[in-house]
């Protein structure tokens, strides 16, 4: 990182910081990914390049909507020898978002628009080394409001719920229908 950077200052170029997916995420260097046998050097380079392409695309997309994509994670796997993404991307669970307007007013105190709200509540309510097993209704409601807000900001439309969806309001019915249409499973 360059010397003299201030809190929340954007890096000159995005950084790729690999981790492994074990019991918990473990930071690892690209060289150790290869030497420990996780991936070949060629496969790591594909993941690095794809990560930067995705991040740069999403950063521009979000900027056009008044959002700063601060950081994110991409999880990769192989399917028939081809590199694929294997988890959600650019969501409040996989990324950190800031309001560009809020950041412009006070970069050092910008509020995060993602799961950090829930994480901070859990930390504040930890007792005897244990996190609460459930969120309060108020925290759940606020987290839902935040997630729905970021969804609408990113997509430009509110999240369709219930009977607003074209294939019925029941989530299980929609999920099964989508998986069957995609040929991933058979309707039982």
């Amino acid at each position: 990182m360059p010397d003299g950077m201030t809190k929340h200052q954007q890096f000159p170029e995005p950084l790729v910081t690999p981790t492994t997916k074990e019991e918990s995420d473990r930071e690892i260097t690209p060289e150790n990914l290869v030497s420990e046998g996780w991936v070949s050097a060629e496969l790591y380079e594909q993941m690095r390049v794809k990560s930067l392409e995705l991040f740069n695309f999403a950063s521009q997309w979000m900027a056009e909507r008044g959002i700063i994509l601060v950081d994110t994670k991409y999880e990769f796997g192989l399917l028939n020898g081809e590199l694929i993404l294997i988890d959600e991307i650019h969501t409040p669970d996989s990324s950190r978002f800031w309001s560009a307007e809020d950041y412009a007013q006070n970069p050092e105190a910008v509020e995060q628009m993602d799961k950090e709200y829930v994480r901070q509540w859990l930390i504040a309510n930890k007792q005897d080394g244990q996190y609460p097993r459930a969120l309060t209704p108020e925290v759940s409601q606020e987290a839902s409001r935040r997630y729905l807000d970021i969804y609408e900001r990113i997509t430009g439309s509110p999240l369709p719920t219930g009977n607003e969806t074209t294939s019925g309001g029941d989530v299980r019915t929609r999920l099964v229908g989508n998986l069957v249409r995609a040929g991933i499973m058979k309707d039982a």
Side-chain angles (χ1 to χ4, degrees), residues 88-103:
E88 91 276 1
I89 63 170
H90 309 138
T91 70
D93 285 338
S94 65
S95 306
R96 288 192 308 144
F97 304 112
W98 294 336
S99 161
E101 180 181 346
D102 192 24
Y103 182 83

Side-chain angles (χ1 to χ4, degrees), residues 135-175:
L135 303 176
T136 65
E138 297 80 18
V139 171
S140 294
Q141 212 167 32
E142 177 61 15
S144 293
R145 184 198 66 74
R146 289 171 181 240
Y147 276 44
L148 291 170
D149 176 60
I150 194 68
Y151 178 92
E152 187 168 346
R153 286 179 187 227
I154 291 171
T155 66
S157 303
L159 179 68
T161 59
N163 292 328
E164 299 167 6
T165 60
T166 57
S167 58
D170 176 61
V171 173
R172 184 179 190 289
T173 302
R174 287 185 317 198
L175 180 63

Side-chain angles (χ1 to χ4, degrees), residues 13-16 47-57 74:
E13 297 291 325
L15 302 178
V16 176
M47 291 187 296
R48 188 189 71 76
V49 167
K50 186 52 67 179
S51 294
L52 290 170
E53 287 174 0
L54 290 165
F55 186 82
N56 289 331
F57 172 83
Y74 302 113

Side-chain angles (χ1 to χ4, degrees), residues 1 15-33 36 38 44 71:
M1 294 186 291
L15 302 178
V16 176
T17 55
T19 60
T20 62
K21 193 71 172 171
E22 300 172 63
E23 181 106 358
S24 61
D25 294 350
R26 175 172 60 104
E27 291 182 18
I28 190 168
T29 65
E31 295 78 19
N32 285 350
L33 277 173
E36 290 180 20
W38 291 95
Y44 172 74
D71 66 26

Side-chain angles (χ1 to χ4, degrees), residues 19-144:
T19 60
T20 62
K21 193 71 172 171
E22 300 172 63
E23 181 106 358
S24 61
D25 294 350
R26 175 172 60 104
E27 291 182 18
I28 190 168
T29 65
E31 295 78 19
N32 285 350
L33 277 173
V34 174
S35 69
E36 290 180 20
W38 291 95
V39 295
S40 67
E42 296 79 20
L43 185 56
Y44 172 74
E45 183 60 14
Q46 285 180 28
M47 291 187 296
R48 188 189 71 76
V49 167
K50 186 52 67 179
S51 294
L52 290 170
E53 287 174 0
L54 290 165
F55 186 82
N56 289 331
F57 172 83
S59 293
Q60 181 177 341
W61 177 274
M62 303 283 182
E64 292 168 2
R65 288 149 181 82
I67 301 165
I68 298 170
L69 176 60
V70 179
D71 66 26
T72 193
K73 71 173 176 74
Y74 302 113
E75 294 185 19
F76 293 99
L78 295 174
L79 179 63
N80 300 323
E82 295 290 321
L83 183 68
I84 60 168
L85 286 167
I86 59 172
D87 201 0
E88 91 276 1
I89 63 170
H90 309 138
T91 70
D93 285 338
S94 65
S95 306
R96 288 192 308 144
F97 304 112
W98 294 336
S99 161
E101 180 181 346
D102 192 24
Y103 182 83
Q105 291 175 8
N106 188 350
E108 293 194 13
V110 64
E111 184 178 359
Q112 295 182 26
M113 305 165 58
D114 47 59
K115 72 176 179 183
E116 189 61 23
Y117 166 77
V118 173
R119 180 180 287 135
Q120 291 303 316
W121 183 87
L122 289 169
I123 291 168
N125 289 279
K126 191 174 183 179
Q127 294 180 3
D128 300 322
Q130 299 293 314
Y131 293 109
R133 294 182 52 90
L135 303 176
T136 65
E138 297 80 18
V139 171
S140 294
Q141 212 167 32
E142 177 61 15
S144 293

